Amino acid sequence: MSRFFSSRFASLEAYTPGEQPQDQSYTKLNTNESPYPPSPATVAAVTETELNKLNLYSDPTGRRLREALAELYGLQRENVILANGSDEILSFAFMAFADKETPVAFPAISYGFYPVYADLYGLEATKVPLLPDFSVDVEALAAAKGMIVIANPNAPTGIALSLDKIEYLLKSDRDRIVLVDEAYVDFGAESALPLLQKYDNLLIIRTYSKSRSMAGARLGFAFGSPEIIADLETIRYSTNPYNLDRLALLLGEAAVKDDGYYKRNCEKIAATRAAAEKRLKEMGFTMTPSTTNFLFVKHPAVSGETLYLGLKERGVLVRHFNKPLIQDYLRITVGTPEQMETLFAAIADMLSKTAPKGV
């Protein structure tokens, strides 16, 4: 850290993204990207004519994409905001709806950016421990003060809350924001979207990175009341009004028009997930119930770190979190059936050669 770095950030622990190694070709099951490419119709939206318009700024309002998303989800344009990935909307929300008087609360084991944003913006944060089965403690969250932030389904556990529990949080204090991060909802969980007409303190965040095969496009969006969206737009226009480039907006609109393609991919991923659960259980793994595009697993005979390193040596990347309570778990992205077979073969080879824990 240089002598020029502000002292207010001296203790900041930055977010650690998943590995993107360049040293060799890996079977990459560590960052929950879709194993399937964007639809041909989506890719075709980027024409030479559109590329030649890159000398012009993008539309700061994102009007066409906002209208397309609003129509797809049965909302109005005023209910939708766009951003450079869902992480940017999270950042806007932490700035807009929490301060020295209004703290934040989120599960202690969840998406790693929540505590980072709390620290970055100098917010008091309540980190609510998960229940013994790794599910979110709704009662404790409801009792906390300030904005509530939950990933639903949660990451990295993959466990989803039912709609009635989200509604319980919304009703617990109508004067605070309940932010529901639905990055993985398209893979089998229940969306909080039906609650939006009833609760003006609900903010739902979505992303193109998972179910829409566009992690590299950096495109996120959120739904909320017109008042909440206007608040977020104030922050956006005060930081980077041209936060989405012309190509991302084009790709986003084309993907909405080809929504059926992406839904079919989600169905394929869910089917592969179910098959992978069965195979991994046969190999001795236990896991949490997942409604996402990943599995959260552990093996009784081998530590999480040993499995992670052994798989990496064999050309398979998975995610390991070296944190209390979950250090023996791996988060494994659901890939294509062929990628999962590569994973199973690498695990089988490891288990045949690795000494049990404590030996």
Side-chain angles (χ1 to χ4, degrees), residues 302 306-312 314 345-355:
V302 189
T306 298
L307 279 168
Y308 157 72
L309 292 172
L311 289 172
K312 187 174 182 179
R314 291 162 175 79
I347 290 174
D349 183 61
M350 265 205 73
L351 293 179
S352 70
K353 299 173 181 176
T354 304

Side-chain angles (χ1 to χ4, degrees), residues 48-237:
E48 184 176 355
T49 299
E50 295 297 341
L51 288 170
N52 284 329
K53 294 178 183 178
L54 287 177
N55 60 311
L56 304 174
Y57 282 111
S58 56
D59 174 12
T61 72
R63 179 183 59 82
R64 286 174 50 178
L65 178 52
R66 288 172 68 198
E67 289 177 349
L69 287 166
E71 182 178 357
L72 179 65
Y73 291 101
L75 302 170
Q76 300 299 313
R77 183 176 69 189
E78 292 74 23
N79 296 118
V80 184
I81 186 172
L82 307 174
N84 193 271
S86 59
D87 291 336
E88 188 175 50
I89 303 177
L90 285 170
S91 176
F92 293 163
F94 274 70
M95 280 192 276
F97 305 123
D99 51 34
K100 290 182 178 179
E101 289 73 40
T102 306
V104 295
F106 43 79
I109 297 174
S110 192
Y111 183 36
F113 240 134
Y114 304 155
V116 172
Y117 281 137
D119 289 345
L120 182 64
Y121 298 126
L123 305 173
E124 179 186 340
T126 300
K127 301 172 185 177
V128 177
L130 297 181
L131 295 171
D133 65 354
F134 282 173
S135 61
V136 170
D137 189 338
V138 174
E139 293 286 345
L141 273 176
K145 296 184 182 300
M147 179 171 71
I148 293 174
V149 180
I150 57 171
N152 197 48
N154 195 20
T157 65
I159 300 173
L161 287 177
S162 59
L163 213 56
D164 62 306
K165 292 184 177 179
I166 294 175
E167 187 168 16
Y168 178 81
L169 292 173
L170 288 161
K171 291 191 294 188
S172 67
D173 184 349
R174 297 293 293 265
D175 292 324
R176 65 167 168 202
I177 294 291
V178 176
L179 188 161
V180 183
D181 184 349
E182 293 190 342
Y184 300 102
V185 75
D186 290 332
F187 299 101
E190 192 174 14
S191 173
L193 194 60
L195 299 174
L196 199 60
Q197 301 303 321
K198 190 175 177 182
Y199 296 94
D200 64 359
N201 59 328
L202 172 62
L203 176 63
I204 301 170
I205 295 182
R206 297 281 191 92
T207 179
Y208 275 71
S209 295
K210 313 301 180 185
S211 61
R212 286 191 170 91
S213 303
M214 278 191 267
R218 309 312 306 130
L219 182 55
F221 57 103
F223 306 130
S225 69
E227 294 79 14
I228 285 178
I229 297 302
D231 292 340
L232 294 171
E233 289 285 24
T234 296
I235 300 296
R236 186 175 72 86
Y237 274 91

